[in-house]
């Protein structure tokens, strides 16, 4: 697809990988809208990048409805959804509470579902569109202390495959990026931490992958891309 003038929504776009993707797409001439839960963070990022910002919690259906009402009023359509909003939680199975598990599911699964559903309505109407779900290598295999997070990312992968099967007949490309550990604030916020040794992936590598996937001619698409650091 042509990146210039493309209308791109990035959830969780005010920080980390979302911010870097917004920056890269803006530099390529796209119209970009980011959303996030914290108004101050969203507005500061939008101002820094000279893009649109909208405060919304993707786990809240009314917020999602308001977000897409804004999109329709502003753009009367959409070309790309990047489902990037997500949280992490890492704890031993015996220490993970139902509340912890549900909190991760609400954003990583239910939130992605609701945003994806509303974007799909536009894409079906247009008979074209693109969805990139930001997964994780945690959507490919599990690990110790990952019950809540891994379960949410496996669920995201399942939704990606369902949407792909449903939407191909409408010329909608549904893709997923599975990064290995990326050095952003995500790790620290989730309690996982991160060894900033200069050899691990950064947000810019993931933004590069998203741009590359979308830039392919619409006749084809890359279904999934897993990204590793070469020698972390």
């Amino acid at each position: 697809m042509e990146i210039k003038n493309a209308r791109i929504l990035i959830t969780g776009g005010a920080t980390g990988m979302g911010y870097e993707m917004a920056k890269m797409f803006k530099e390529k001439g796209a119209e970009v809208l980011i959303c996030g839960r914290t108004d101050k963070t969203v507005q500061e990022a939008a101002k820094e990048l000279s893009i649109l910002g909208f405060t919304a919690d993707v786990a809240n259906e009314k917020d999602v409805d308001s977000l897409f009402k804004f999109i329709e009023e502003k753009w009367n359509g959409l070309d790309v959804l990047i489902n990037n909003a997500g949280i992490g939680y890492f704890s031993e199975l015996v220490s993970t509470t139902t509340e912890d598990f549900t909190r991760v599911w609400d954003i990583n699964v239910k939130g992605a579902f609701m945003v994806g559903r509303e974007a799909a309505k536009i894409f079906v109407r247009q008979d074209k569109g693109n969805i990139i779900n930001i997964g994780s290598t945690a959507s490919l295999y599990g690990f110790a202390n990952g019950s809540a997070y891994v379960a949410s990312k496996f669920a995201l992968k399942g939704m990606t495959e369902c949407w792909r099967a449903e939407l191909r007949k409408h010329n909608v490309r549904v893709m997923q990026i599975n990064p290995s550990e990326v050095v952003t604030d995500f790790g620290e916020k989730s309690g996982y931490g991160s060894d900033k040794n200069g050899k691990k992936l950064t947000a810019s590598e993931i933004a590069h992958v998203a741009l590359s996937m979308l830039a392919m001619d619409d006749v084809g698409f890359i279904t999934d891309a897993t990204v590793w650091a070469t020698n972390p």
Side-chain angles (χ1 to χ4, degrees), residues 183-200:
V183 178
T184 66
D185 291 339
F186 177 86
E188 295 174 6
K189 289 178 181 177
S190 63
Y192 183 77
S194 182
D195 178 13
K196 298 178 181 179
N197 62 5
K199 299 170 68 178
K200 295 182 182 292

Side-chain angles (χ1 to χ4, degrees), residues 16-232:
M17 293 188 296
Y19 181 95
E20 194 64 30
M21 285 187 280
K23 179 181 178 182
M24 188 171 289
F25 285 121
K26 172 64 177 178
E27 290 172 350
K28 296 295 183 181
E31 297 183 60
V32 181
L33 168 63
I34 59 171
C35 78
R37 289 177 292 170
T38 306
D39 184 65
K40 183 174 183 291
T41 306
V42 170
Q43 298 309 322
E44 286 179 352
K47 185 177 179 180
E48 288 170 7
L49 299 176
S50 297
I51 59 175
L52 296 172
F54 192 92
T55 305
D57 179 354
V58 297
N60 183 305
E61 193 158 17
K62 289 184 179 179
D63 281 9
V64 173
D65 289 343
S66 296
L67 170 64
F68 277 87
K69 182 180 179 182
F70 176 82
I71 288 170
E72 290 284 35
E73 291 174 350
K74 195 74 178 177
W75 287 339
N76 190 34
L78 185 68
D79 298 302
V80 178
L81 162 65
I82 299 181
N83 247 332
N84 172 69
I87 62 171
Y89 177 79
F90 305 95
S91 177
E92 293 181 346
L93 171 62
V94 295
S95 301
T96 301
T97 67
T98 304
E99 290 75 18
D100 294 330
F101 191 95
T102 302
R103 180 170 56 90
V104 175
W105 182 87
D106 274 346
I107 294 177
N108 293 8
V109 184
K110 188 180 78 172
F113 158 74
M114 291 192 295
V115 175
R117 180 187 63 194
E118 298 310 307
K121 292 175 183 178
I122 297 174
F123 295 153
V124 169
R125 182 185 78 211
Q126 298 174 162
D127 203 38
K128 66 175 182 177
N130 301 268
I131 298 174
I132 295 181
N133 288 331
I134 303 299
S136 167
T137 48
S139 68
L140 307 176
Y141 49 80
F143 49 83
N145 302 329
S147 292
Y149 185 67
V150 170
S152 75
K153 291 302 184 179
F154 264 72
L156 182 68
K157 177 174 171 56
M159 288 197 301
T160 299
E161 294 186 2
C162 292
W163 300 355
R164 185 181 297 145
E166 288 181 37
L167 297 174
R168 281 181 73 189
K169 64 186 178 184
H170 298 289
N171 299 306
V172 179
R173 306 188 297 178
V174 182
M175 300 164 270
Q176 183 164 319
I177 299 176
N178 299 314
S180 186
E181 182 187 354
V182 180
V183 178
T184 66
D185 291 339
F186 177 86
E188 295 174 6
K189 289 178 181 177
S190 63
Y192 183 77
S194 182
D195 178 13
K196 298 178 181 179
N197 62 5
K199 299 170 68 178
K200 295 182 182 292
L201 294 173
T202 67
S204 63
E205 282 80 54
I206 310 309
H208 173 84
V209 174
L211 177 64
S212 299
M213 294 174 87
L214 289 169
M216 177 182 284
D217 188 275
D218 290 345
V219 73
F221 72 104
I222 299 165
T223 60
D224 305 84
T226 298
V227 189
W228 286 7
T230 302
N231 181 22

